[in-house]
Each structure stands twice: as C-alpha cells, then as structure tokens.
Amino acid sequence: MHGPPLAGWLLVVLCAATGSYCLLRMRGEPPGRVRRAAGAEALMGWGMAVMAVPAAALDPRPWGPPLLAGVFAVAAVRALLPAWHGGGRALGHHLHHAVGALAMVYMALAMAVGAPAGGHGHAGHAAQGRVPGGVPALTAVLLVYFAVYVVWSATRLAPAGAAGAGGGSGGLAWSRRPELADACRLSMGIGMLAMLLTL
C-alpha cells in the first residue's frame, strides 16, 4: 500500500477480519455455490490484507506481485467459468468476483511495474527508488465500479439491519446471518476503493 502506514495497517486488520469471517462462513455451509462464494470472498479478504501491508514494513518485490497476480488470475477464471452456466443473481455474483479478482491482478502488476521515483513520488516508495504506477483510465473505471458497488451494498444492508432489530433472522447462527455476509462484502468494497485510491 502506498498511503500512510496507519491507513495501511487499518486496512490489513479490516481485510484480515473479513477474510477470517468468510472462512468461518465457508465452514458452516454445505458444499455448493454458497460455500464456493464464501471461499472466494475469504481469498479476496486475505489477499487484500497481504497487499495492504505498508511497503515500509514489507516490500514483496520481486516475487510477491507476480505471485499475487497469478493467484488472482486463477481466481478470476474460476469465477467466470460457472458464470456461463448460471443465470440471474448467480451470474452477477460470479461476474463481481471476477472483476474483484482482475482488479487485484491489476494492482499487483502495478506494484511490480512502479515507475522510478522522481521528486513527486510518495514518501514510502521514493525511499525505495520507486513510485506507484497504474493506468489512470483503468483505475478510474475500477474506482467508479467499486464506488457504485459500495453504495449498492450499503442500501442492501440497511433493510437487513432494520429486520434484524425486529428479530427476523434471530434463529440463524451468527456465521450464517445474511446481514453479516453483506457487511463483509461492503467492507471489501470499501477496502478495494482505498487500495485503488492509493495506487
């Protein structure tokens, strides 16, 4: 991560907690589409946590960015394959996972290809002789996508919170409550926005 170290560590904690919850949710689901989706979200959360570690604490180059890019390229393919057979909401969910995984590939490659540092680079990377990179137009498109996703996720969460206050999902185990899954997706969307903003 190329922003302030405190912001990086807060993002690491948020993404690791989200990934851990998704792992617990995956364990509580029977084999099938919901379990695979929880596994993909756990991978995304932990991958974002690793990528958000401030460069001053851990500079993963040269091996880290290609490894992350490879893992998330495979994740994108795995998300797209079932999308051809599913429809409706399942298709949208798979496509969102693919976009998220491809955004992770893009950010990992941008980490690997950072330009030589000049007088206007970020402090953490300037000290290491590099500044963050990325294609501004592609970054802008991803920022718009994840901003829309965050707003949409927040609107889905509001009615669930109101229903939960009335006891509508009180019988479910905490690891299977739909509002917690929606809150995790919202957290990952916010985390993705933060990482793209500091690219």
Side-chain angles (χ1 to χ4, degrees), residues 9 16 23 34 37 39 42 46 68 85 90 92-94 130-131 148 151 171 178:
W9 288 118
L23 278 177
V34 175
W46 280 102
L68 285 169
H85 304 296
H93 199 64
H94 287 298
R130 296 167 77 85
V131 295
V148 169
V151 171

Side-chain angles (χ1 to χ4, degrees), residues 50-51 53 57-71 108-109 111-112:
V50 168
M51 198 177 284
V53 173
L58 173 69
D59 186 3
R61 289 182 305 247
W63 54 268
L67 178 64
L68 285 169
V71 166
L109 293 175
M111 282 172 49

Side-chain angles (χ1 to χ4, degrees), residues 130-157:
R130 296 167 77 85
V131 295
V135 179
L138 182 53
T139 303
V141 168
L142 289 170
L143 281 169
V144 169
Y145 174 83
F146 284 104
V148 169
Y149 180 78
V150 163
V151 171
W152 178 78
S153 296
T155 60
R156 281 178 46 99
L157 194 59

Side-chain angles (χ1 to χ4, degrees), residues 113-197:
V113 179
H120 56 284
H122 292 278
H125 277 260
Q128 299 167 24
R130 296 167 77 85
V131 295
V135 179
L138 182 53
T139 303
V141 168
L142 289 170
L143 281 169
V144 169
Y145 174 83
F146 284 104
V148 169
Y149 180 78
V150 163
V151 171
W152 178 78
S153 296
T155 60
R156 281 178 46 99
L157 194 59
S169 57
L172 291 175
W174 70 271
S175 63
R176 300 185 72 185
R177 293 177 68 100
E179 64 271 18
L180 288 178
D182 287 340
C184 282
R185 292 181 190 114
L186 175 63
S187 297
M188 283 194 281
I190 292 169
M192 193 69 79
L193 275 174
M195 292 174 73
L196 286 164
L197 283 170

Side-chain angles (χ1 to χ4, degrees), residues 10 105 127 151:
L10 289 173
V105 171
V151 171

